[in-house]
Amino acid sequence: MGNCCDGRDQKSSKQIFIIGPPGSGKSKLTEKLSNNKKYEFIDIPELDMESSIKSREKSIENFQKQYKKSENDNKQIIGLILCVKFERTDLMKRNLLSVIKFFRQFKNLMILVVTHFDLSENQNQDKRDLKKSLNYLLDKDEERVMFSNNFEQDGQEVIDQAIQKIIEKKNELQFTLKNTIFEEFDESEQKKLLQNMQQSFNKC
């Protein structure tokens, strides 16, 4: 299960889920955000949706558990941070798409963070290029494409500004599992459906 990082005795009621494929640098980023005073950042276990059916089912189960815990704790999920490790642009796009396709309806709630950016040999140029290459995932909003260097502490002010931006953009949009691959199957509805089917069968 992922870790909660808030840095306060009294945890915030506003949560941001940090998600990503295997090896995306989520945990390191969560640690760097642990002193944020406004939000509680939740490190969701890696979303491995493509390597096997078993890994996909496990990823879905883990996400459902954290979502249910947040609901039970009366937390408001106000955004998603999607992480991807810096490497070749085509590989980053592939890794991002392997996750973001399951959250398309929540693009306005999302920030994209390229981690391990210290691997870049020309950070200024790579930032410009990647903002242009990846902004289509966020409706052309380059300001929500961010970068994290493993050996430097990210400025909380920059993160807060990006979060404020998604809060302003979301309008009435609320994060929910409904109509997503993570939606839990309602056993009571299933039972009712089976009963109706049985009644229809008995009438025949």
Side-chain angles (χ1 to χ4, degrees), residues 26-68:
K26 298 182 299 82
S27 297
K28 184 70 174 179
L29 181 64
T30 306
E31 290 177 14
K32 295 173 75 172
L33 296 174
S34 62
N35 292 324
N36 190 286
K37 304 299 183 183
K38 297 180 180 178
Y39 313 104
E40 182 181 4
F41 293 90
I42 306 297
D43 180 8
I44 301 296
E46 62 186 28
L47 294 176
D48 183 0
M49 307 296 285
E50 296 192 337
S51 64
S52 69
I53 294 176
K54 183 177 180 180
S55 66
R56 174 181 287 206
E57 289 179 346
K58 184 64 176 177
S59 294
I60 292 172
E61 179 185 355
N62 286 336
F63 198 94
Q64 289 172 337
K65 284 181 179 178
Q66 180 56 60
Y67 181 84
K68 184 178 292 185

Side-chain angles (χ1 to χ4, degrees), residues 120-160:
S120 168
E121 296 179 355
N122 188 339
Q123 293 191 6
N124 290 333
Q125 184 63 49
D126 283 337
K127 278 186 180 181
R128 289 192 293 269
D129 292 344
L130 286 172
K131 280 179 175 287
K132 291 179 180 178
S133 297
L134 302 178
N135 67 30
Y136 77 98
L137 297 170
L138 302 174
D139 294 330
K140 304 294 184 180
D141 188 351
E142 293 187 4
E143 293 183 28
R144 287 189 286 139
V145 179
M146 307 182 70
F147 303 86
S148 176
N149 186 325
N150 277 2
F151 301 106
E152 295 177 1
Q153 186 69 26
D154 288 325
Q156 294 295 328
E157 184 177 349
V158 176
I159 296 291
D160 285 350

Side-chain angles (χ1 to χ4, degrees), residues 179-190:
N179 298 324
T180 73
I181 195 173
F182 304 99
E183 182 176 9
E184 290 196 76
F185 196 80
D186 191 325
E187 292 184 5
S188 63
E189 288 295 323
Q190 180 188 29

Side-chain angles (χ1 to χ4, degrees), residues 5 7 76 143 159 200:
C5 293
Q76 179 187 8
E143 293 183 28
I159 296 291
S200 298

Side-chain angles (χ1 to χ4, degrees), residues 152-203:
E152 295 177 1
Q153 186 69 26
D154 288 325
Q156 294 295 328
E157 184 177 349
V158 176
I159 296 291
D160 285 350
Q161 288 173 357
I163 294 171
Q164 186 60 39
K165 189 174 181 64
I166 64 175
I167 291 174
E168 292 170 355
K169 286 178 69 69
K170 76 173 188 176
N171 297 320
E172 298 301 318
L173 180 62
Q174 298 293 323
F175 183 76
T176 173
L177 300 189
K178 189 172 179 60
N179 298 324
T180 73
I181 195 173
F182 304 99
E183 182 176 9
E184 290 196 76
F185 196 80
D186 191 325
E187 292 184 5
S188 63
E189 288 295 323
Q190 180 188 29
K191 186 176 181 180
K192 186 184 297 184
L193 178 61
L194 290 174
Q195 288 175 343
N196 291 337
M197 291 176 63
Q198 185 64 45
Q199 290 174 0
S200 298
F201 179 78
N202 291 337
K203 290 179 181 179

